Amino acid sequence: MSQKTTSNSMLQNVRIVLVNTSHTGNIGSAARAMKTMGLSQLVLVDPVDKPDGKASALAAGAGDVLANAKIVSTLEEAVADCGLVVGTSARSRTLPWPMLEPRECGEKLISEVTNYPVALVFGRENNGLSNEELQQCHFHVCIPANPEYSSLNLAAAVQTLCYEIRMAFLNKTQIPEEERAYPHAEDLERFYSHLEQTLSKTNFIIPQHPGMVMTKLRRLFNRARPETQELNILRGILASIEKTIKIKKHSE
């Protein structure tokens, strides 16, 4: 399955829900934050005002996300078909609830998104989600901002958590790296012998005292850990140098 196909079946099943948003500019900025992370499903619960020109201006290139936003009356309606709902909230002692860190939130949403739609819910700019709304969420997520100044703009919070969703998505769907073939120890030893012989022929090292140079070169190549193909290229370079030296000697 290609990453594009996976995006259609995963990221498009992640729903960003904004509850009772006061400023239309925040709706537009949230849409932009979503699109930069590959998300497109925006639901507005009882917004104070519907998206307008200011929202469109701040959405910038994410006008399509804004135009396709669904407007509903209640949070219950917004998440009715979701199998997992996570609400954003400050940590609360009065309402104990299963809490997630932002990274855990992204991973959990992506781990379940292939089974059903999932939702990430953001509350009002001034006072967040009500206790009743928070109780409609399976988990709460809290962004560990600076405790001395923890007030995040709505769009900034959307951007932060959408980023974590995207990172979790990429970790799950990235194409496995091709297996690399590395040379055996004996192949490396043959390379080092070849390298020492060639450097001696070019008078780069003194045959009687090659130790320090070769030790440093060993350290260099061990740190780089060349693959088998790369080692073959290096051996080919050494062979080419030796051939040039031989031709030069014959022409003298």
Side-chain angles (χ1 to χ4, degrees), residues 146-195:
N146 177 8
E148 296 179 4
Y149 186 70
S150 59
S151 178
L152 273 174
N153 172 269
L154 174 61
V158 172
Q159 184 76 80
T160 299
L161 293 177
C162 285
Y163 169 81
E164 294 297 348
I165 291 171
R166 182 160 188 81
M167 291 301 99
F169 164 73
L170 292 176
N171 287 337
K172 187 168 183 176
T173 61
Q174 63 183 352
I175 300 173
E177 192 174 317
E178 292 183 11
E179 290 187 12
R180 297 179 178 179
Y182 289 100
H184 295 162
E186 60 184 359
D187 296 322
L188 280 171
E189 288 305 318
R190 280 194 287 266
F191 164 68
Y192 291 133
S193 295
H194 193 177
L195 178 61

Side-chain angles (χ1 to χ4, degrees), residues 83-189:
L84 174 64
V85 181
V86 180
T88 54
S89 170
R91 294 186 184 276
S92 172
R93 294 179 181 178
T94 59
L95 185 68
W97 214 260
M99 294 292 301
L100 298 172
E101 296 296 331
R103 190 137 303 169
E104 292 177 309
C105 175
E107 291 169 353
K108 189 153 194 67
L109 289 167
I110 290 300
S111 71
E112 297 190 29
V113 74
T114 53
N115 300 321
Y116 33 65
V118 299
L120 179 59
V121 185
F122 295 83
R124 302 158 186 82
E125 292 96 332
N126 57 347
N127 57 1
L129 296 168
S130 68
N131 284 347
E132 181 181 356
E133 290 162 343
L134 285 169
Q135 289 175 37
Q136 294 181 55
C137 304
H138 299 99
F139 295 88
H140 297 167
V141 59
C142 177
I143 298 173
N146 177 8
E148 296 179 4
Y149 186 70
S150 59
S151 178
L152 273 174
N153 172 269
L154 174 61
V158 172
Q159 184 76 80
T160 299
L161 293 177
C162 285
Y163 169 81
E164 294 297 348
I165 291 171
R166 182 160 188 81
M167 291 301 99
F169 164 73
L170 292 176
N171 287 337
K172 187 168 183 176
T173 61
Q174 63 183 352
I175 300 173
E177 192 174 317
E178 292 183 11
E179 290 187 12
R180 297 179 178 179
Y182 289 100
H184 295 162
E186 60 184 359
D187 296 322
L188 280 171
E189 288 305 318

Side-chain angles (χ1 to χ4, degrees):
M1 180 180 290
S2 68
Q3 185 165 320
K4 184 176 181 180
T5 302
T6 306
S7 297
N8 291 335
S9 62
M10 293 178 71
L11 291 184
Q12 288 189 9
N13 249 1
V14 178
R15 192 172 301 169
I16 301 299
V17 181
L18 306 184
V19 176
N20 201 209
T21 310
S22 300
H23 305 291
T24 57
N26 284 336
I27 297 174
S29 295
R32 181 176 184 178
M34 288 170 59
K35 187 164 184 176
T36 60
M37 296 297 124
L39 304 178
S40 60
Q41 303 303 308
L42 175 61
V43 179
L44 306 175
V45 176
D46 188 29
V48 173
D49 292 301
K50 293 181 180 180
D52 54 14
K54 187 173 183 180
S56 297
L58 290 177
D64 54 336
V65 175
L66 191 62
N68 293 324
K70 182 179 180 181
I71 300 178
V72 298
S73 300
T74 64
L75 177 58
E76 184 178 4
E77 184 179 354
V79 300
D81 61 337
C82 293
L84 174 64
V85 181
V86 180
T88 54
S89 170
R91 294 186 184 276
S92 172
R93 294 179 181 178
T94 59
L95 185 68
W97 214 260
M99 294 292 301
L100 298 172
E101 296 296 331
R103 190 137 303 169
E104 292 177 309
C105 175
E107 291 169 353
K108 189 153 194 67
L109 289 167
I110 290 300
S111 71
E112 297 190 29
V113 74
T114 53
N115 300 321
Y116 33 65
V118 299
L120 179 59
V121 185
F122 295 83
R124 302 158 186 82
E125 292 96 332
N126 57 347
N127 57 1
L129 296 168
S130 68
N131 284 347
E132 181 181 356
E133 290 162 343
L134 285 169
Q135 289 175 37
Q136 294 181 55
C137 304
H138 299 99
F139 295 88
H140 297 167
V141 59
C142 177
I143 298 173
N146 177 8
E148 296 179 4
Y149 186 70
S150 59
S151 178
L152 273 174
N153 172 269
L154 174 61
V158 172
Q159 184 76 80
T160 299
L161 293 177
C162 285
Y163 169 81
E164 294 297 348
I165 291 171
R166 182 160 188 81
M167 291 301 99
F169 164 73
L170 292 176
N171 287 337
K172 187 168 183 176
T173 61
Q174 63 183 352
I175 300 173
E177 192 174 317
E178 292 183 11
E179 290 187 12
R180 297 179 178 179
Y182 289 100
H184 295 162
E186 60 184 359
D187 296 322
L188 280 171
E189 288 305 318
R190 280 194 287 266
F191 164 68
Y192 291 133
S193 295
H194 193 177
L195 178 61
E196 184 176 348
Q197 292 170 10
T198 305
L199 294 179
S200 296
K201 291 177 182 178
T202 61
N203 296 320
F204 185 83
I205 60 176
I206 302 172
Q208 293 83 359
H209 304 286
M212 187 58 70
V213 172
M214 288 307 303
T215 297
K216 290 185 176 180
L217 288 174
R218 277 176 174 267
R219 186 175 63 180
L220 167 64
F221 285 110
N222 283 336
R223 187 169 64 243
R225 200 187 177 196
E227 299 168 17
T228 299
Q229 282 190 332
E230 294 169 334
L231 194 68
N232 290 339
I233 292 173
L234 292 171
R235 293 292 300 272
I237 292 172
L238 295 177
S240 176
I241 293 172
E242 289 181 322
K243 184 178 180 180
T244 301
I245 293 173
K246 188 174 181 179
I247 292 174
K248 185 176 180 181
K249 285 184 176 180
H250 286 170
S251 62
E252 290 177 349

